[in-house]
Amino acid sequence: MLHIKCPHCGMRSQNEFSYGGDASIKRPQLNKEISDEEWDNFVYNRKSLRGKHLELWQHLSGCRQWIKVERDTATHEIFNTYKADEEIT
Amino acid sequence: MSQKFRLENGGLINRDKKLSFKFNGKSYYGYEGDTLASALIANGVHLVGRSFKYHRPRGFFGAGVDEPYAVVQLYRNNETEPNIKATEQELFEGLEAKSVNCWPSVNFDIGAINNFLKIFLPAGFYYKTFMWPKSFWYRVYEPFIRKAAGLGVASTKHDKERYEHKYEYCDLLIAGSGPSGLASAYAAAKNGARVILAEDKPRFGGSLLTSDVNIGNQSGEDWANSIISELKEMPNVVVKNRSQVFGYYDHNMLVMSEKVSDHLPKTKKHHPKQRLWYIRAKEVLISSGSIERPLVFGNNDTPGVMLSSAAKEYLKVYGVLVGKNPLVFTNNDSGYETAIEFKKNGVNPIILDSRVNPQSEIIDEAINLGIKIKFSHVVVVAQGYKKVSSADIAKISDDKKQLGTIENIKCDCICVSGFWTPTIHLASQSGNKAKFKEEIDAFVPGTSKQNETTLGAANGIFTLEETLKDSFIAGQDLSKKITNNDNKISFPNVVEKKSSQHDKFWCVPLPKGKSYKRFLDFQNDVAVSDIEIALKEGYRSIEHVKRYTTLGMATDQGKTSNLNGLQLVSNIENKVVPAVGHTTFRPPYTPISIGAIVGREVGKHSKPTRKSPMHAWHEKNNAVFVDAGVWLRPRYYKQGNETLFEASKREAKNVRTNVGVCDVTTLGKIDIKGPDAAELLNRVYTNAWLKLPVGKARYGVMLREDGIVMDDGTTTRISENHYHMTTTTAQAANVLSHLEYYLQLVWPELNVHVVSTTEQWAGAAIAGPKSRKLLEKLFPNNDVSNEGLPFMGYMESELFGVKARIFRISFSGELAYEVNVESDNGQFMWEKIIELGQEFQVQPYGTEALSTLRIEMGHVAGSELDGRTISYDTSLEGLISKKKDFIGKRSLNREAFTSSDRQKIVGVVPLDKKTSIPEGSHLVKDAQAPLPNKKLGHISASCWSVEHDNPFSLAILKDGKNMIGEKLFVMCPLKNKVIPVEIVSSHYVDPKGERVRS
Ligand SMILES: [Zn+2]
């Protein structure tokens, strides 16, 4: 079970969180004309990386905030966690 | 029966407390502090089971977790449990156990014929033998294997025992209470660290309980006892025996199984049987020790052949002799320690040492005691079937390839020592890549992966002095990092005997012309010849060899067999062991009961039960409940001998003719506030929301980004910037997360706050032609006329002094209202509705009638919004705004979603107007068509239409739009039904929707 540092609440066990997938995916703006390919990439296509991955988690049984977690998908090492609106350097 | 093999004195057992027990129906006695194994051996019982494959007789090989054979079926307090190691099960008064793997009995076993057919059961025999003919598998092979080869029988009864889960945090978790565990725990505890010290056995001390050493001015055992007593007194230390740390998971989380009550005849009141600990440790010290390796020779699985360390443990801990005429066969000094213990207790052992001319303090001591030693000698084959009766021994050449003249010597047990294998499972599970240590011919942990440190024998350190020194330092340094304290502890003086180098030799060659079985894996009956066959057949990877031969599999996980298997493969392949590599260690290290894994989450405790504030009333009024997610909802209210069918028909009929009331508290409710609330709704729902006036409700459908319908419900504008959203019961949690996702991540610029209020409001739906009359009685001061409170209207009021919200919305298709009051007033509201509704023949209705009403109206619910349907499919496309963008809109022009014969919701009526249509059935054109018959659609929901008094169903049907009036067939192979049906409109009642507006 992973140990995730919620930037709002501190270190919490994985079972308080739910997973939200790739955090680098940006939803296309509303009312914007976009190609089928662009839309498919947003809805379906994901990289399934091995290694460092920026992903979304929601602290569901806690503060209910969506957060960003930088995690190695192979080793589960967590390098950093960020608030939803935090600048990632 | 007397305990013929029990010594007069000695051991750590309580001789004042005699315990009676039964094994295979026969009564015996042992003492408190015995294991089932030690008590059986004391009584001279060595035959405990049959082996897995060949059904060869099986005795005891180890004295604890290392035991591969003595797995029994245990009977305790009217319960039975399989897969119990007799060497770990503590004796209690009235214990009963039986052998497994033998049928009909341990002494006469039919499966033993396999032993004489063993030529036909070589490596991979499962794969080869049982493959063909295919039809034989179910009829012949499988029943035979099941009967002959089970490792015990699971109880089919409900387990009445309680199992608990516990979460714990600590600075240092120390797995194993041998010298390294005790020393590191002590040093860390003195430094103020929060320490958990776990020991899988009942007694603390590990090897100190059986070795002849001194620490300070105490014996090893006394030192262990004094350290443990001191640790137990310290408030920052948790000391746990009977607790196996069996798994090392991510982020330094370890799981430990504590056997709280397994050693007692009966679990004490308010105690669990077992407790599973989830421990998050800052640092982990692995002091799990080592397991002695067997030596491999002919028939080395005969009962009476056992590890020399086990023989010593039976002597020193239990005061039990494993034999009175022992032969010790060793390649290192450990065998001598066992022989010396025998000698001290008046038994004369013979030592066979494979080494040519070893010299050490221990060997000198054995010589001085007059023990007979034969250097350069080996056991070639053990003689005896159900128990060792003698051994064929021989001198072996210095290159270990030639055997001299074979000589038979009498003995009643053979204690073997092939040196030591560090127990590195936990380190390996943490991700640590093991490295091969040439000097000890075994793997030890490499570089730490998580915060783990391996100490003592588990790290391949076999001298006490070095172990203690390392462990004191590790405990001190690691705790200092955490607590910043630096309390130095002086190292005690250690007295131990020096050992000489072990012999790399471990497998005795076969004499010319002999083909004795030489076993590597005792639990799975894997012999040297099996590995040879596997390699001959081309298997190279050790992982493949393992699976093909079953070496190191099952509950034993290769505790005694792993390294010998690797050595053999490396010998044959002419490789060094590290090049062969080792198989992966996976948790659990030892078998864990299903009960412990499940914990308290059984039956009603597997999920929380939510009850509405009106639950007590429903109960009092004969409601029959149904699980709706985590909620309990009334399914119907039983009157007299009514069936579900009769009751739901009556309730639904009453809604259509008079008025009914339904508890709708479970509907998801989300409070939405903020200046951008309308904008959020406009983006989330498919229809337009910006112009909804205050005091009005609107029905909305929300999609996922892939265009599939996610949920539906009504949302009401309570005030300028305040909305009340309802969701389906099932999707309530998902919808809230969905809104939070968009607000926090996608559109953080929207100034909106959302919060779940599902449990804050109690809800009652009042439906039926007489519902307005009832509402007038409930709210005499409000104008609830069609003008005052029109369809989709909302008003706030007071219900006899209680704050109430009234929504004019309808799920049943009748004139209907939904009244919400704060949860605490739910019961009051409900009772008022029932009381004032008497004159209008009000009746409560449950979910079954609710379903009937919505189905015949063609209103969609979860069974249509099943994660596969789009708005069009459920006839909700009219709610799709062309003017604005919303979540999922861009997906709607996908080719499949716009095809002209796209599936659509329809109504289905059986031609005979009598036969009920099972939900989930398929619709086909031709009932006689050959299989696979093309499916045109499926039945999503069925009811008995109270309006038309015949069965009616909803279906999602291909090209549904153009199928109205068609005749098709419903196929339900599960119920063996074929029903001719007609396709009709999904709006079977009031197609124009006039009633809701009346
Ligand atoms: Zn949080």
Side-chain angles (χ1 to χ4, degrees):
Chain A
M1 207 184 326
L2 307 185
H3 213 200
I4 302 170
K5 185 179 174 188
C6 171
H8 308 278
C9 310
M11 295 301 288
R12 298 300 166 101
S13 267
Q14 184 185 343
N15 50 3
E16 293 186 11
F17 295 83
S18 70
Y19 184 68
D22 190 342
S24 66
I25 300 291
K26 285 255 176 304
R27 191 195 191 278
Q29 279 184 338
L30 288 167
N31 300 307
K32 195 183 152 208
E33 283 278 320
I34 55 165
S35 66
D36 285 350
E37 196 188 346
E38 228 178 303
W39 184 254
D40 284 351
N41 281 340
F42 160 62
V43 178
Y44 298 105
N45 297 333
R46 295 292 182 273
K47 283 205 187 79
S48 191
L49 289 174
R50 180 189 168 90
K52 221 181 221 190
H53 190 227
L54 189 68
E55 53 201 24
L56 293 171
W57 290 77
Q58 189 184 13
H59 194 189
L60 205 68
S61 310
C63 63
R64 294 203 63 89
Q65 294 301 301
W66 284 90
I67 61 168
K68 292 174 185 173
V69 176
E70 196 176 39
R71 180 180 69 106
D72 190 307
T73 57
T75 64
H76 294 311
E77 187 181 348
I78 292 176
F79 307 99
N80 220 331
T81 57
Y82 308 90
K83 294 177 186 171
D85 56 356
E86 207 169 323
E87 273 299 312
I88 296 165
T89 47
Chain B
M1 185 178 263
S2 64
Q3 301 179 42
K4 282 184 289 191
F5 289 83
R6 183 83 68 179
L7 294 167
E8 287 298 312
N9 301 299
L12 307 175
I13 45 169
N14 177 11
R15 288 175 191 260
D16 296 333
K17 189 137 186 217
K18 223 171 163 186
L19 302 173
S20 67
F21 69 101
K22 272 187 185 168
F23 183 67
N24 284 335
K26 217 166 154 182
S27 294
Y28 302 95
Y29 289 98
Y31 293 119
E32 188 179 76
D34 261 327
T35 60
L36 174 58
S38 68
L40 283 171
I41 297 172
N43 284 283
V45 179
H46 276 268
L47 180 64
V48 282
R50 292 279 172 164
S51 75
F52 185 57
K53 205 156 83 185
Y54 304 126
H55 287 239
R56 288 162 71 105
R58 284 291 181 249
F60 302 96
F61 194 72
V65 69
D66 49 354
E67 175 62 48
Y69 304 142
V71 173
V72 299
Q73 183 86 24
L74 186 77
Y75 300 83
R76 172 182 175 272
N77 191 25
N78 299 318
E79 298 277 348
T80 182
E81 200 177 338
N83 209 4
I84 299 294
K85 282 181 179 167
T87 52
E88 291 192 292
Q89 177 60 51
E90 291 172 65
L91 201 64
F92 54 76
E93 177 59 36
L95 180 149
E96 279 189 65
K98 278 184 188 154
S99 299
V100 295
N101 256 345
C102 39
W103 170 66
S105 84
V106 68
N107 273 301
F108 174 73
D109 179 76
I110 283 181
I113 196 140
N114 289 359
N115 190 25
F116 303 104
L117 297 175
K118 68 192 164 203
I119 187 95
F120 302 116
L121 298 178
F125 84 108
Y126 289 110
Y127 304 100
K128 289 170 183 163
T129 316
F130 300 127
M131 292 299 280
W132 59 83
K134 208 175 155 190
S135 62
F136 265 45
W137 178 254
Y138 294 108
R139 288 193 289 119
V140 183
Y141 299 142
E142 207 224 356
F144 171 77
I145 292 173
R146 273 189 189 282
K147 189 146 204 172
L151 285 171
V153 190
S155 170
T156 53
K157 285 197 297 183
H158 169 68
D159 187 349
K160 293 192 288 289
E161 296 279 358
R162 208 172 74 183
Y163 301 84
E164 279 179 0
H165 284 182
K166 185 177 166 76
Y167 290 81
E168 195 58 88
Y169 292 79
C170 65
D171 294 330
L172 273 84
L173 170 65
I174 300 169
S177 75
S180 51
L182 289 173
S184 54
Y186 190 72
K190 284 281 177 193
N191 246 348
R194 290 184 305 156
V195 172
I196 297 176
L197 174 64
E199 168 60 46
D200 69 318
K201 293 200 167 186
R203 297 174 186 84
F204 297 96
S207 64
L208 293 173
L209 300 181
T210 56
S211 43
D212 189 11
V213 293
N214 280 301
I215 303 174
N217 48 12
Q218 292 173 296
S219 72
E221 186 201 331
D222 288 346
W223 182 81
N225 288 336
S226 65
I227 293 281
I228 278 292
S229 334
E230 203 173 328
L231 286 174
K232 278 182 177 167
E233 295 303 312
M234 297 174 76
N236 53 327
V237 181
V238 173
V239 170
K240 281 282 160 194
N241 58 343
R242 304 186 174 98
S243 297
Q244 178 76 255
V245 181
F246 65 79
Y248 199 138
Y249 299 87
D250 292 305
H251 296 184
N252 260 24
M253 196 194 74
L254 293 96
V255 185
M256 173 172 98
S257 143
E258 181 189 4
K259 296 198 166 167
V260 182
S261 309
D262 293 65
H263 63 294
L264 301 171
K266 199 176 156 192
T267 305
K268 279 188 219 152
K269 209 175 174 187
H270 307 308
H271 282 230
K273 184 172 187 229
Q274 295 174 9
R275 188 179 285 131
L276 208 66
W277 294 56
Y278 293 87
I279 304 171
R280 190 80 71 171
K282 287 191 184 131
E283 295 287 341
V284 178
L285 290 172
I286 300 168
S287 46
S288 44
S290 56
I291 290 177
E292 204 165 21
R293 280 204 291 275
L295 290 168
V296 177
F297 51 88
N299 295 340
N300 56 334
D301 63 330
T302 311
V305 178
M306 66 167 65
L307 293 174
S308 92
S309 56
K312 192 170 70 169
E313 189 167 334
Y314 286 118
L315 257 167
K316 293 208 71 163
V317 176
Y318 305 102
V320 168
L321 290 171
V322 298
K324 292 181 177 172
N325 197 7
L327 190 63
V328 175
F329 177 24
T330 187
N331 72 355
N332 70 97
D333 287 3
S334 299
Y336 287 80
E337 292 175 20
T338 304
I340 289 166
E341 286 305 325
F342 273 120
K343 185 75 185 178
K344 282 183 183 165
N345 284 288
V347 173
N348 286 316
I350 300 172
I351 297 175
L352 303 188
D353 190 331
S354 67
R355 295 174 294 182
V356 182
N357 188 21
Q359 282 174 345
S360 74
E361 277 182 76
I362 299 170
I363 298 171
D364 289 345
E365 186 182 351
I367 293 168
N368 291 339
L369 283 169
I371 295 172
K372 192 171 170 192
I373 305 168
K374 285 167 171 277
F375 295 117
S376 289
H377 269 73
V378 296
V379 175
V380 177
V381 63
Q383 301 287 5
Y385 183 58
K386 287 178 188 167
K387 178 78 199 288
V388 170
S389 56
S390 69
D392 285 1
I393 66 165
K395 196 166 192 306
I396 191 159
S397 61
D398 290 359
D399 66 0
K400 312 292 183 194
K401 287 191 175 139
Q402 305 297 322
L403 294 172
T405 321
I406 290 178
E407 178 193 351
N408 182 269
I409 57 170
K410 293 269 167 259
C411 60
D412 61 356
C413 66
I414 304 174
C415 307
V416 294
S417 177
F419 207 50
W420 297 86
T421 306
T423 302
I424 60 167
H425 292 67
L426 287 177
S428 174
Q429 287 171 16
S430 97
N432 185 317
K433 286 251 177 301
K435 59 178 191 213
F436 194 72
K437 196 171 174 187
E438 205 69 48
E439 310 95 89
I440 62 166
D441 286 318
F443 286 94
V444 293
T447 315
S448 296
K449 190 76 185 179
Q450 303 195 41
N451 296 350
E452 95 277 352
T453 309
T454 308
L455 294 168
N459 196 28
I461 310 292
F462 296 125
T463 70
L464 182 61
E465 189 163 12
E466 201 183 341
T467 291
L468 285 180
K469 212 162 184 178
D470 285 355
S471 306
F472 273 119
I473 292 170
Q476 216 155 59
D477 288 356
L478 291 170
S479 56
K480 190 177 145 189
K481 269 203 319 200
I482 298 165
T483 65
N484 289 322
N485 294 334
D486 198 8
N487 296 324
K488 289 262 184 292
I489 293 166
S490 53
F491 300 132
N493 192 39
V494 172
V495 181
E496 63 183 319
K497 289 183 206 102
K498 299 265 178 310
S499 301
S500 58
Q501 179 62 34
H502 76 286
D503 192 349
K504 288 189 179 297
F505 168 84
W506 61 278
C507 183
V508 180
L510 289 174
K512 271 201 186 68
K514 298 288 182 190
S515 59
Y516 305 127
K517 277 266 170 197
R518 294 170 296 168
F519 285 93
L520 289 170
D521 182 322
F522 303 103
Q523 188 176 70
N524 300 301
D525 272 3
V526 181
V528 170
S529 51
D530 294 314
I531 303 286
E532 287 168 350
I533 290 172
L535 289 165
K536 249 183 231 164
E537 292 183 355
Y539 289 88
R540 287 297 174 270
S541 154
I542 189 69
E543 297 280 0
H544 292 163
V545 171
K546 167 180 168 176
R547 280 155 186 84
Y548 192 57
T549 62
T550 68
L551 173 79
M553 307 239 296
T555 62
D556 181 56
Q557 287 291 299
K559 289 180 179 65
T560 49
S561 63
N562 231 319
L563 265 161
N564 283 343
L566 288 175
Q567 299 209 28
L568 180 63
V569 173
S570 63
N571 287 357
I572 300 172
E573 290 278 282
N574 264 326
K575 282 184 188 159
V576 288
V577 174
V580 173
H582 66 84
T583 54
T584 316
F585 295 110
R586 292 193 179 85
Y589 174 60
T590 51
I592 305 302
S593 69
I594 301 283
I597 294 166
V598 174
R600 297 282 281 139
E601 291 167 22
V602 286
K604 281 234 167 282
H605 296 289
S606 59
K607 57 184 190 326
T609 303
R610 280 182 173 174
K611 294 174 183 174
S612 98
M614 288 84 96
H615 189 84
W617 190 94
H618 302 322
E619 261 182 335
K620 229 186 292 163
N621 288 273
N622 296 326
V624 176
F625 292 94
V626 62
D627 289 316
V630 292
W631 292 92
L632 272 185
R633 296 189 71 177
R635 192 173 184 191
Y636 62 101
Y637 299 82
K638 195 177 173 125
Q639 291 186 358
N641 290 324
E642 269 181 340
T643 61
L644 162 69
F645 179 69
E646 290 159 355
S648 62
K649 231 163 94 172
R650 167 181 54 75
E651 290 171 8
K653 188 100 196 150
N654 191 59
V655 172
R656 293 267 183 253
T657 48
N658 297 306
V659 57
V661 55
C662 181
D663 186 345
V664 292
T665 303
T666 63
L667 280 184
K669 303 175 201 77
I670 298 171
D671 210 51
I672 304 177
K673 275 183 180 167
D676 295 321
E679 180 59 30
L680 173 72
L681 295 172
N682 210 43
R683 295 178 185 189
V684 165
Y685 284 127
T686 63
N687 49 346
W689 283 81
L690 296 180
K691 288 178 185 152
L692 181 72
V694 172
K696 284 281 183 191
R698 184 166 286 174
Y699 175 72
V701 174
M702 57 179 83
L703 309 185
R704 312 189 309 216
E705 291 285 17
D706 64 0
I708 300 286
V709 176
M710 179 176 179
D711 199 38
D712 69 340
T714 57
T715 293
T716 306
R717 191 165 189 183
I718 304 284
S719 66
E720 182 63 21
N721 294 326
H722 184 192
Y723 291 79
H724 172 83
M725 175 186 272
T726 65
T727 72
T728 58
T729 303
Q731 290 292 327
N734 289 347
V735 171
L736 183 64
S737 259
H738 181 72
L739 298 179
E740 287 165 334
Y741 176 90
Y742 284 93
L743 285 173
Q744 293 172 25
L745 292 161
V746 185
W747 303 311
E749 69 277 10
L750 292 185
N751 190 355
V752 184
H753 200 81
V754 293
V755 68
S756 165
T757 53
T758 301
E759 284 168 83
Q760 274 63 40
W761 296 101
I766 301 170
K770 295 181 185 169
S771 59
R772 183 177 292 125
K773 290 216 173 79
L774 173 51
L775 216 68
E776 283 165 0
K777 295 267 173 188
L778 290 165
F779 302 100
N781 301 327
N782 292 91
D783 175 12
V784 294
S785 67
N786 208 14
E787 295 72 38
L789 183 59
F791 181 55
M792 287 303 205
Y794 165 75
M795 100 180 7
E796 285 171 11
S797 180
E798 277 198 354
L799 177 80
F800 301 99
V802 163
K803 193 172 105 183
R805 289 174 165 182
I806 313 167
F807 306 83
R808 186 166 162 200
I809 52 177
S810 175
F811 191 47
S812 57
E814 294 299 324
L815 168 68
Y817 303 86
E818 199 182 305
V819 181
N820 281 5
V821 296
E822 285 166 356
S823 291
D824 289 351
N825 300 321
Q827 178 102 0
F828 171 77
M829 165 182 71
W830 189 268
E831 282 170 355
K832 276 286 169 207
I833 293 168
I834 297 290
E835 178 198 327
L836 298 174
Q838 288 310 307
E839 58 177 299
F840 312 112
Q841 293 81 44
V842 73
Q843 283 184 23
Y845 64 102
T847 56
E848 202 68 23
L850 185 72
S851 286
T852 296
L853 295 166
R854 75 94 185 167
I855 292 168
E856 62 176 4
M857 273 292 163
H859 287 173
V860 294
S863 48
E864 289 78 34
L865 308 180
D866 63 355
R868 296 180 292 182
T869 47
I870 58 171
S871 295
Y872 173 87
D873 306 348
T874 44
S875 286
L876 299 167
E877 68 270 30
L879 292 172
I880 293 179
S881 165
K882 296 204 168 59
K883 292 189 198 125
K884 57 138 194 177
D885 198 1
F886 52 84
I887 293 170
K889 188 178 191 183
R890 182 65 179 77
S891 289
L892 296 180
N893 56 16
R894 282 174 57 190
E895 207 178 311
F897 288 177
T898 52
S899 74
S900 60
D901 62 350
R902 177 77 199 175
Q903 61 179 7
K904 201 169 186 51
I905 188 167
V906 293
V908 178
V909 179
L911 292 186
D912 68 0
K913 301 269 174 104
K914 277 197 285 237
T915 312
S916 296
I917 301 171
E919 290 175 350
S921 302
H922 285 188
L923 284 156
V924 300
K925 180 102 197 139
D926 175 6
Q928 307 299 323
L931 296 173
N933 198 343
K934 194 170 156 52
K935 170 198 165 193
L936 301 176
H938 72 276
I939 302 293
S940 60
S942 289
C943 73
W944 187 278
S945 166
V946 289
E947 186 93 0
H948 296 275
D949 202 24
N950 58 252
F952 176 74
S953 297
L954 293 175
I956 305 289
L957 181 63
K958 194 171 177 65
D959 198 17
K961 190 171 72 171
N962 297 313
M963 295 293 277
I964 309 296
E966 293 284 322
K967 307 260 189 324
L968 298 176
F969 293 91
V970 159
M971 308 276 287
C972 182
L974 282 176
K975 297 192 172 166
N976 210 11
K977 273 190 176 176
V978 178
I979 308 162
V981 296
E982 184 182 353
I983 304 304
V984 299
S985 160
S986 59
H987 300 292
Y988 200 41
V989 172
D990 188 24
K992 289 188 186 147
E994 285 163 344
R995 295 181 192 177
V996 293
R997 292 183 173 79
S998 61

